[in-house]
Amino acid sequence: MHHCLLPHQKTKEHRKSQPMEEEKPWALISEVGDDHGYLAELAVIVKQHFQIICYEDFLQNPELHGSKVQALLNWQHCPAVEPQLLRLLPSLKVVASGGVGVDHLDVPFINSLGVKVANTPHVVSDSTADLAMGLLLASARKIVNGHQVATDPKTIHIPKSLMGVEVTGSTIGIIGMGEIGYKIAQRSTGFEMKILYHNRTKRRAEEEQAVGATYCQSLDELLRCSDFVVITVKLTPETKGLIGSRKLSLMKPTATLVNVSRGQVVDQDALVRALKKGGILAAALDVTYPEPLPRDHPLLGLPNVIITPHIGINTCNTARRMVERMVKNAVAAVRGLPVPDEVKAQKK
């Protein structure tokens, strides 16, 4: 069910302080509720500034609302921003996407139409860093396996196979020391970990000193020395397939790979081979390619793999901050003001 028109009680004073419904600009959203929709309380945030039309309702009669829509809010990559949709939105001024990655958007093409693109880079870092540490800990200490043993009705003794890996005092190698990578480094200090990082640019000395991080100009060096390798890079043509057979062969056979960036950064076939042959100890992934994986994919059957379904940003607080930021970006674009988190096509 799609419920675009939400009952929302307001006092007379509140109604006076809000723009009249007919004065608000129009925004196209995915839906309210269901798997790809906004929670009702988040849709209310959008409705404070926009008249909203849900994607399926829009497709019923695109001529009715197409010329009115000035903002497209892209939540969990929905609705898909494709040329055929953009052609139906001649008044569109902005595609406001939730999250950091914009690899699902053809930014150069969207910009060529005179439409701005925005993301929400700063509000997702804490929750993503938290999940990265959660995956690392769950893999190292076999938490998922332990839960299965503890709840299995056939369990009568605790198997020795639940012996885990010490996290405290180990070496973590962070590939991509942007905002998320830095927050992972901050969390790692609590586990007294030795922190290595590889990045396009070296962090300032005071930033390194604050977390005790050491810069590795060579990614190969980081891979050879790390007990846990955590990937937080953006997906770009340069990072696609970054971790393949050769890179995996450099890792310790006792090392764990953690990926919270994008599935395409890792060659999954090479990863399966490394996990099966003991080239690395384990993998903990919040991202795969595709998502979800086909149900017969070999990664799903390996005992030394933990996979979560791209839930790095899935907390109520982060979702609210994301929607608020999407709306802020969209409102700025509609008003012709500078867009706080504008993403521009990179010049070649």
Side-chain angles (χ1 to χ4, degrees), residues 32-149:
V32 179
D34 292 341
D35 289 342
H36 297 293
Y38 297 73
L39 297 173
E41 58 267 31
L42 299 183
V44 168
I45 298 171
V46 182
K47 283 176 64 65
Q48 288 173 355
H49 299 274
F50 290 96
Q51 297 184 70
I52 62 175
I53 178 76
C54 293
Y55 183 59
E56 283 198 8
D57 295 337
F58 171 80
L59 291 181
Q60 297 297 319
N61 191 352
E63 291 80 14
L64 182 62
H65 296 291
S67 62
K68 300 177 185 176
V69 173
Q70 296 185 59
L72 193 163
L73 304 189
N74 189 247
W75 177 257
Q76 295 181 336
H77 298 188
C78 295
V81 184
E82 298 173 341
Q84 55 265 41
L85 173 59
L86 295 172
R87 281 194 288 269
L88 299 173
L89 305 172
S91 302
L92 189 67
K93 294 183 177 179
V94 62
V95 173
S97 181
V100 179
V102 291
D103 47 279
H104 61 294
L105 300 174
D106 187 343
V107 178
F109 176 72
I110 296 170
N111 285 169
S112 75
L113 301 175
V115 177
K116 295 186 176 182
V117 174
N119 60 353
T120 61
H122 305 296
V123 298
V124 303
S125 302
D126 281 317
S127 58
T128 305
D130 286 350
L131 186 72
M133 296 306 294
L135 284 169
L136 187 156
L137 289 163
S139 180
R141 299 306 306 272
K142 301 197 174 182
I143 290 174
V144 175
N145 306 80
H147 170 76
Q148 292 167 343
V149 169

Side-chain angles (χ1 to χ4, degrees), residues 22 77 92 191 230 233 298 305 311 337:
E22 58 270 17
H77 298 188
L92 189 67
F191 290 92
V230 184
V233 297
V305 176
I311 56 173
L337 301 172

